Every structure is written in structure tokens, then in C-alpha cells.
Amino acid sequence: MAIADPPQPLSFPPLTYAKLSPAPFLHAHLTAHPPLRPNTRPPSTFRPLSAHTGSLTHTHGSAVVRIGATAVVCGVRAEVLRADDVADHRPPPATDPDDDDHDEVARTKTGDRDTARREAHTVAALNLLVPNLELQTGCSPAHLPTTGGGAPSPAAQSLAHRLLSLLHTARLVPLPQLQIWHRPVAPPTAVFAGGAHTDADDDDGPAPEACVKAFWVLYIDVVVLSLDGGAFAAVWAAVLAALRDTALPRAWWDAERGGVVCSPLKGEARKLRLRGWPVVGTFGVFEGEGARGGGEGGEGPWILADPDDFEEGLCKETVTIVVDGEGGRVLRVEKAGGGVVGVGEMRGCVELVRGRVGEWKEVLGQGA
């Protein structure tokens, strides 16, 4: 009589366990020694950042950015807005339009905060920065495409609103970079016979002053190709890289034509110079199965840096921190849900974001 083999225990691959019991699966990884997340990262480690600029030839600036499996493409198009078409437009304070762009950016960065605040208000009031964000079909199973030309999904609208708000809060694009000046040419000096008298000796009134005739409007189009968590950080990195890649054509006001004329020569285009280096870091809090505030044996909660899509679905509390890479000043803090992250934990998160400044500058191109 044959002896039956003993029953074998059921065995599933790790991905199956993650789908059947996601919270215990993540908890088991974090309670190991050393604690490692399912993606093999320690809790305080961010995913690597990569970027490629200039991919879209029909735009004034573009970039493709990847953070882990999240991929975002951004293109910047510049169009002209005439000052006469702006209702209740008031000319800016008299400045020298021939000032070097480096001096203008440095001036607003080093101390004249009132001027920077007024410039940021003008940029926002004239809608000179217009972001548009789309979650590409198939970027994530949780985001279905809209049909019938409907409005963007709530997630896309939320990301676009946060993007526009940060563009204005960080004062990333100085107003002088978007102004198109008109410099009237003084009438030629008449010289009488013998050179005894010229029109310069007559005081017929003040010389014509330079004035702003138009503005550049930057249309920032963002498409999320693949979404695996950290959407806002990836979107902001793509926008920052695309703006640093943007080159505006040389433009001037033609009085005879009554409009703005742009040079077709690429060599005369001017790189857009930004103010500061805003770096974004996202965090999620996984409370696990232990008591709140931690417990023995490494029981939660855990603050996970740059959570992926699997981890975001298990985190009840999220934190987004924006730090200026030029000086380390905190520009914005967004916190939603829960009460685990206190003052001490927030300081630790800020230091982690500051530690990413060097990577962002290296990858996105400090010298661009």
C-alpha cells in the first residue's frame, strides 16, 4: 500500500501577500532588523531622481523627470500678452531695462523683499504663469480617463492648484524676466554750420522714457505618464527642470507695426533665470499594528520618506515640505490627516529634504 505524501504548506509569492494583506505585509518589513520597506529602501531614504531636458523641440523648454517608477513630462510655451490688452494695467516703477538679469535676480534674492512681493503679485494678477496638468490614461489603475471632453479628474485639478500656488509662493519667475520693453529712440541731433549750435543745447522737454509694452505668458503643460506615488514632487521637479531649460526669443516693440517682433535666431534667445531652488519632499506615516507613539521591538509608527503608491495607500497621514536650496529656508509645509508628526518629527523631515538639495541641483542642472 502506497503511503501518501504529507500535505505541503501553501506558499505564495510576496506580491500575492501584499495584495491579500497589505498592512501586515508592510508591517512585517518595517519590524525586521534592519527595517526595510518592500522596495528595499530604509524608511528615511528617497527614490533616485533622473531628468532629461530639451526632449520636445516644439516648445521653448521641456523636461522628462523620473522618480522611481513615476514619470512626468513638462513643456513650456511662451506667448505674448500686450500691455494694452490688460485691463487697468499700471506701468511698473521706473527701472533701468538694460540691467543685467543676474543683477535683477540677485537684487530680489538678497534683501528687497517688498519689491519681490510686488513683482509676485503682478505675476499672479496678470496670470503670466498658466499650468495645465493631465494624468495620462494608464498612468495608474486608480485614475481612469475622462470621456466626452469632460473636466480633469479631481486629483489632476488638485495637483494643478498646488503647482500654481507654489509657483507664486516661491516667486520662482521674476517679473523682469517676463517683461518686453520699448526703448524710444531720441531724435537725431542737428548740427549747424561751423558746429556752433546743436539741438542738445535746447531744453525742449524730458527725453522719452522706456516702458513695458508686453509680457511673456508661460503656458506650463504637464503630463503624468506613470504614477507610482510622489506625484507632486515629480511634477514640481519636471516643472523646475523645464523652466530652467526655457529660452525666450529676443523680443522688442516695433512702433511702426504697433506690435511685438521676435527674433527667429536661436542664438539671440535668452535663458530664463529663476529665483531660488525650491526642493520638494513628501512623507507618509504608517502607524502599523503597534500603539501610537511607538512601542517595544520597533513597533510603529514609522515616517516613510517618498512613499510609493503601495505605501501611500496605507498611510493615514501625509506631509509635504518645500525647502529653498539657496539658504535652506522652508517655503511651504502641507500636512493632512493624523497627529503623529509633531514639531520634532517635522524638523527631522525638513533636514531630510535639505539633504536632497545637492542631488536636485546636480540632476536638474544648476548651470542650465
Side-chain angles (χ1 to χ4, degrees), residues 96-106 176-177 270 273:
D96 184 4
D98 294 324
D99 284 347
D100 190 5
D101 295 333
H102 294 75
D103 298 336
E104 188 65 40
V105 174
Q177 297 284 302
R270 172 176 54 88
R273 303 196 63 83

Side-chain angles (χ1 to χ4, degrees), residues 278-293:
V279 176
V280 175
T282 58
F283 301 87
V285 178
F286 177 66
E287 297 187 15
E289 300 177 357
R292 177 170 298 190

Side-chain angles (χ1 to χ4, degrees), residues 146-329:
T146 57
T147 59
S153 65
Q157 295 185 47
S158 176
L159 285 172
H161 175 75
R162 295 170 63 191
L163 174 60
L164 178 61
S165 178
L166 183 55
L167 284 170
H168 292 158
T169 301
R171 302 168 187 170
L172 187 63
V173 183
L175 177 62
Q177 297 284 302
L178 304 177
Q179 292 174 331
I180 299 176
W181 288 81
H182 172 51
R183 303 175 178 87
V185 180
T189 302
V191 180
F192 290 87
H197 178 75
T198 65
D199 289 344
D201 298 332
D202 298 333
D203 188 7
D204 295 333
E209 295 183 355
C211 60
V212 176
K213 283 292 188 178
F215 301 90
W216 286 111
V217 180
L218 302 183
Y219 292 90
I220 306 171
D221 298 317
V222 182
V223 178
V224 179
L225 302 177
S226 176
L227 182 55
D228 185 30
F232 185 68
V235 166
W236 179 256
V239 170
L240 184 60
L243 288 175
R244 294 189 63 84
D245 182 61
T246 298
L248 300 178
R250 187 175 73 89
W252 65 94
W253 178 266
D254 192 322
E256 295 182 357
R257 299 182 181 181
V260 175
V261 179
C262 299
S263 172
L265 302 179
K266 292 184 178 181
E268 295 183 352
R270 172 176 54 88
K271 277 284 188 180
L272 188 66
R273 303 196 63 83
L274 307 180
R275 181 189 293 119
W277 259 101
V279 176
V280 175
T282 58
F283 301 87
V285 178
F286 177 66
E287 297 187 15
E289 300 177 357
R292 177 170 298 190
E296 297 181 358
E299 297 294 333
W302 295 269
I303 299 179
L304 308 179
D306 188 17
D308 56 23
D309 186 65
F310 171 74
E311 295 167 341
E312 283 185 347
L314 301 175
C315 294
K316 299 180 180 180
E317 183 177 357
T318 59
V319 177
T320 301
I321 298 175
V322 184
V323 172
D324 187 3
E326 300 292 342
R329 184 169 60 96

